[in-house]
Amino acid sequence: MDVTFLQVFGYLLAVVGSTSLLPQIQKIYKSKSGAGVNFNMFITIDVITSLVSAFCIKQGLDYSNWLELIITNIQVFIIQLLSRYYLSQHRNLLLTILFKTTTTVLLASTPLEYLQIVLKCIFPIMIFNKISTTWGHYKAKSTGAMSGATLAMQCFQFSGRCFTAVMSGAADFIAPSAINAFFAYIFLFQYRVYGGGKALKAE
């Protein structure tokens, strides 16, 4: 496969991945409501993207390996802040800011070898989070406050990541990309089946 094509396609995926949560932020902002937001899912994404980006930066990897993660991490943080604010959960809002600050300082000061150990736990945590989210949608017959545009963009993003990982021989990224793509399509299917995401009971 032409390396130039893979690079260009990779840049396209980075753009889509970096902006995929913007429709979610817009949906929360326009509705002025955080009802139905799955905080457990976003907290897990926050922790994972923080950890992986810290690992990449400490390894001295090129920005192309971690910039998308940083942008996603910021968007996830904004989603949590907006949702807590509109739910009038001021205590949880402060705890979210405190947790983010503590996590950032902790990751910045943790030696690379310890981050490598923690990274080994990410895959099972990610799978558990995806399965529990899917089960929660099924039980509630709703995808809550999820944005359909965000889900569609993530389907394209993760499917594309599977393709580029296979074509470039990046074996370590194939399984995580495949898992993310699989559940992205499940979430999108649930979104369509359950009528575009009726709000779950607010946490």
Side-chain angles (χ1 to χ4, degrees):
M1 174 89 38
D2 187 359
V3 175
T4 303
F5 171 77
L6 287 179
Q7 289 177 332
V8 173
F9 189 55
Y11 290 140
L12 174 61
L13 292 175
V15 172
V16 173
S18 299
T19 58
S20 64
L21 289 174
L22 291 180
Q24 184 69 65
I25 294 174
Q26 181 187 32
K27 181 175 183 177
I28 294 171
Y29 178 74
K30 285 183 67 176
S31 66
K32 298 292 188 292
S33 172
V37 170
N38 187 334
F39 287 105
N40 289 334
M41 180 182 72
F42 285 114
I43 290 171
T44 302
I45 295 173
D46 191 345
V47 172
I48 290 176
T49 53
S50 295
L51 179 59
V52 176
S53 56
F55 176 77
C56 291
I57 292 172
K58 283 180 177 287
Q59 268 204 322
L61 299 179
D62 185 74
Y63 74 91
S64 60
N65 292 281
W66 49 262
L67 183 58
E68 181 184 339
L69 290 170
I70 293 290
I71 295 174
T72 298
N73 188 267
I74 293 171
Q75 292 178 82
V76 167
F77 185 52
I78 292 172
I79 288 171
Q80 294 181 75
L81 293 182
L82 282 176
S83 301
R84 296 296 189 189
Y85 175 76
Y86 289 131
L87 288 170
S88 297
Q89 296 179 351
H90 303 303
R91 178 174 174 273
N92 287 333
L93 178 62
L94 291 175
L95 287 175
T96 298
I97 296 172
L98 178 61
F99 177 76
K100 185 65 175 177
T101 304
T102 304
T103 303
T104 302
V105 172
L106 185 62
L107 290 174
S109 58
T110 301
L112 181 60
E113 54 269 25
Y114 291 116
L115 288 180
Q116 288 178 310
I117 295 173
V118 179
L119 273 173
K120 294 179 180 178
C121 303
I122 281 185
F123 197 60
I125 291 174
M126 181 183 74
I127 293 176
F128 175 78
N129 177 256
K130 300 288 187 183
I131 292 174
S132 61
T133 300
T134 302
W135 179 246
H137 294 165
Y138 172 74
K139 286 202 303 181
K141 297 297 184 289
S142 168
T143 52
M146 278 189 166
S147 164
T150 288
L151 294 174
M153 291 171 74
Q154 288 180 340
C155 285
F156 174 76
Q157 174 195 4
F158 294 126
S159 297
R161 289 298 181 198
C162 286
F163 173 75
T164 55
V166 171
M167 291 298 101
S168 63
D172 292 341
F173 292 96
I174 294 176
S177 297
I179 292 293
N180 277 317
F182 175 74
F183 281 101
Y185 280 104
I186 287 181
F187 293 165
L188 184 60
F189 174 75
Q190 289 180 317
Y191 179 86
R192 297 299 183 190
V193 170
Y194 299 141
K198 304 168 191 173
L200 290 168
K201 183 179 179 181
E203 293 187 11

